[in-house]
Amino acid sequence: MAQHAYQTGSSPFTSSDSPKLRLSQLSDQLSPMASTHFDADVVPQAPEDPLFGLMAAYRNDTFDKKVDLGIGAYRDNNAKPWVLPVVKKAEEVLRNDPDFNHEYLPIAGLANFTSASQKLVLGADSPAIKEKRVTTVQTISGTGAVHLGALFLSKFYPGRSVYFSDPTWVNHHQIFTNVHIKIATYPYFSAKTKGLDFEGMLDTIGKAAEGSIVLLHSCAHNPTGVDPTQEQWKEISKVMKEKKLFPFFDSAYQGFASGDLNKDAWAIRYFIEQGFELCIAQSYSKNLGLYGERAGCFHFVTGASSDAESTISRIASQLAILQRSEISNPPAYGARVASAVLNDEALFAQWEEDLRTMSGRIIEMRDVLRSKLDEMGTPGTWNHITDQIGMFSYTGLTEKQVLKIREAAHVYMTKNGRISMAGLNTNNIDYFAKAVDKVVRET
Ligand code: PLA
């Protein structure tokens, strides 16, 4: 144990010393004996998180016309966060429930939330649910689900690499690196067409080592807004089956892409029909607007077999151990809100309407932005704005242009040229389109 060399009794410095001097004197006195084995020099300064750093920069900007197109959080037409009407109703139900309390949830989470979440993503009549081949753990939203899945795979599926789309949500890299899974990438975005590089994707996936993990965005790909068509998903599935690859679906935007919860889950359900064993990270941040409540699930689905039920029980038991050591048990409030919505027919119908409101407004903003750029004859092609889907558009603006538009017009977007479409509205879209036009012509 480190020993302390504090002098007791008299003060080691006089009252006229400056606080800075006093501190340095004190540290001189302490340093010879207070040293531990911890070498602070091994801790380098880490860079600020680019996305949360961007949010802070936006907040500190006092310009009245500033535009926030950074983080993927829905905003209404007044650029304000939107509490979904269905969430307000569900919260009222909770408030009036005499049994509402703040007890711990079980390790695997709120049971009627996790079971309803399985149905939401896999479909109510999913054979995997009927055959009891699915296990679900409530997580710290989508991020926690990706992490729990990665941790589980690092322990029970070791030595495999994970393949990410290039580009992908940046946090995927950090999460899998933290659990020491090797990372590879497959081509995804074609800079030329600003659409899917389907051939490149299939080619690389087809060459991956058997058993590799392939991370797929089930819909509304982040950051590109480019999704495979159903025909393309079928081909991806075929190649992955041949190579015995393991799909890891990140489902952070179900209902947000098309406004239709079933349509947005199509790829996952198709892969399960094809007999894949797979896992899913599911988030309610965007589709229920529960960002800060951290509501989500991790699902593991095994293939059909006579001992599937026993396999799934063993997997569930191990996930529970991991969960217990990581977070003990998940946060309750968001899961209770989501559960109230998922398990009530009238609230569910209201939710579907709210989803159509959000996705509809985003689609409308895509149309308006594209026609404004076309009308101004802004150099380049802009069809990708309306071809892309979901929360984001990958504009094709270069890093230089992104920095310029921030400096000159106070428009905030990530350096890769991604914009959160929800940050646009009828009040700022004209300003934004003109700023894009200017930066494209000048930079
Ligand atoms: N997966 C993908 C593909 C995401 O885009 C995000 C969030 C998550 C998981 C995690 O979200 P959750 O933990 O809140 O469920 N992406 C955001 C925010 C919206 C972020 O980076 O944390 C984004 O702006 O990219």
Side-chain angles (χ1 to χ4, degrees):
M1 269 197 36
Q3 300 200 354
H4 298 287
Y6 296 117
Q7 286 189 2
T8 49
S10 63
S11 167
F13 36 72
T14 66
S15 58
S16 63
D17 291 333
S18 74
K20 216 170 176 180
L21 190 63
R22 286 183 209 163
L23 266 181
S24 75
Q25 284 171 339
L26 187 60
S27 85
D28 281 353
Q29 289 194 10
L30 291 177
S31 54
M33 292 178 72
S35 65
T36 66
H37 294 297
F38 181 71
D39 175 6
D41 291 344
V42 302
V43 185
Q45 180 70 40
E48 184 176 43
D49 180 78
L51 200 57
F52 281 76
L54 192 70
M55 270 169 74
Y58 172 80
R59 261 199 311 271
N60 292 334
D61 187 334
T62 52
F63 186 65
D64 63 342
K65 281 190 174 153
K66 64 181 178 177
V67 182
D68 180 14
L69 308 178
I71 202 149
Y74 185 77
R75 300 287 176 252
D76 66 11
N77 195 50
N78 294 312
K80 293 275 185 288
W82 197 54
V83 181
L84 272 60
V86 71
V87 166
K88 285 191 177 159
K89 283 189 185 163
E91 289 185 300
E92 201 179 322
V93 172
L94 293 188
R95 263 197 307 278
N96 296 330
D97 177 357
D99 293 330
F100 184 89
N101 58 47
H102 298 285
E103 292 296 291
Y104 288 132
L105 290 182
I107 292 172
L110 188 68
N112 49 17
F113 168 67
T114 49
S115 59
S117 295
Q118 286 182 353
K119 289 185 196 139
L120 185 78
V121 67
L122 304 179
D125 51 4
S126 165
I129 297 176
K130 282 198 192 114
E131 293 157 18
K132 300 192 165 66
R133 314 190 259 118
V134 191
T135 186
T136 299
V137 176
Q138 186 191 326
T139 55
I140 310 276
S141 207
T143 305
V146 174
H147 169 69
L148 186 66
L151 183 65
F152 177 82
L153 293 174
S154 74
K155 200 165 172 189
F156 295 103
Y157 197 56
R160 296 344 199 265
S161 296
V162 63
Y163 278 74
F164 294 152
S165 60
D166 178 20
T168 190
W169 179 46
V170 279
N171 216 12
H172 284 147
H173 288 273
Q174 301 186 126
I175 295 171
F176 279 81
T177 301
N178 285 349
V179 298
H180 311 291
I181 293 181
K182 237 175 96 189
I183 292 166
T185 57
Y186 55 86
Y188 192 80
F189 185 75
S190 158
K192 208 164 115 213
T193 64
K194 300 197 178 72
L196 183 64
D197 178 1
F198 186 53
E199 271 174 36
M201 176 182 186
L202 277 194
D203 188 55
T204 300
I205 288 177
K207 288 181 186 142
E210 205 176 289
S212 299
I213 305 157
V214 180
L215 196 133
L216 300 159
H217 298 224
S218 48
C219 70
H221 183 271
N222 178 6
T224 66
V226 174
D227 285 349
T229 62
Q230 293 190 354
E231 287 316 303
Q232 288 170 329
W233 275 120
K234 287 180 185 171
E235 290 204 42
I236 296 164
S237 149
K238 200 166 140 224
V239 172
M240 286 185 60
K241 211 165 178 188
E242 275 162 19
K243 298 293 303 217
K244 298 191 171 62
L245 303 177
F246 183 89
F248 191 135
F249 278 100
D250 187 338
S251 176
Y253 300 91
Q254 188 183 353
F256 226 91
S258 66
D260 178 334
L261 288 158
N262 291 320
K263 201 167 163 191
D264 288 354
W266 186 89
I268 295 176
R269 295 177 191 176
Y270 179 80
F271 271 62
I272 290 175
E273 261 172 44
Q274 300 309 302
F276 278 97
E277 196 152 35
L278 53 81
C279 61
I280 306 158
Q282 180 185 30
S283 167
Y284 287 97
S285 290
K286 276 61 82 162
N287 55 15
L288 265 174
L290 290 175
Y291 307 92
E293 302 304 340
R294 316 308 289 136
C297 289
F298 174 72
H299 309 272
F300 196 102
V301 184
T302 61
S305 78
S306 54
D307 60 354
E309 224 180 306
S310 117
T311 307
I312 214 71
S313 147
R314 280 181 280 117
I315 292 172
S317 71
Q318 292 295 344
L319 286 170
I321 296 276
L322 294 177
Q323 172 97 319
R324 173 77 172 127
S325 60
E326 295 259 316
I327 63 164
S328 188
N329 52 80
Y333 187 73
R336 290 202 168 113
V337 171
S339 176
V341 175
L342 294 167
N343 289 298
D344 181 280
E345 229 172 90
L347 290 182
F348 195 93
Q350 162 88 56
W351 182 32
E352 290 180 298
E353 206 178 307
D354 294 349
L355 280 168
R356 283 192 291 271
T357 300
M358 293 191 286
S359 57
R361 201 184 78 72
I362 287 176
I363 290 167
E364 193 190 323
M365 286 303 108
R366 287 186 185 279
D367 288 343
V368 177
L369 178 59
R370 182 180 170 188
S371 37
K372 281 192 186 294
L373 294 171
D374 283 346
E375 271 163 33
M376 285 186 287
T378 308
T381 56
W382 300 99
N383 57 302
H384 56 281
I385 303 273
T386 45
D387 292 346
Q388 294 167 356
I389 193 165
M391 185 73 98
F392 303 111
S393 178
Y394 216 45
T395 57
L397 293 185
T398 62
E399 185 172 332
K400 223 168 149 192
Q401 291 169 332
V402 168
L403 294 176
K404 182 74 195 167
I405 205 170
R406 190 180 313 167
E407 183 197 305
H410 304 254
V411 171
Y412 291 76
M413 62 178 86
T414 54
K415 277 189 192 161
N416 54 11
R418 181 191 89 168
I419 58 173
S420 177
M421 291 304 302
L424 293 175
N425 55 59
T426 51
N427 305 309
N428 66 14
I429 198 156
D430 195 54
Y431 174 81
F432 174 67
K434 284 182 180 144
V436 170
D437 182 76
K438 189 162 185 302
V439 83
V440 169
R441 288 180 199 278
E442 292 177 2
T443 314

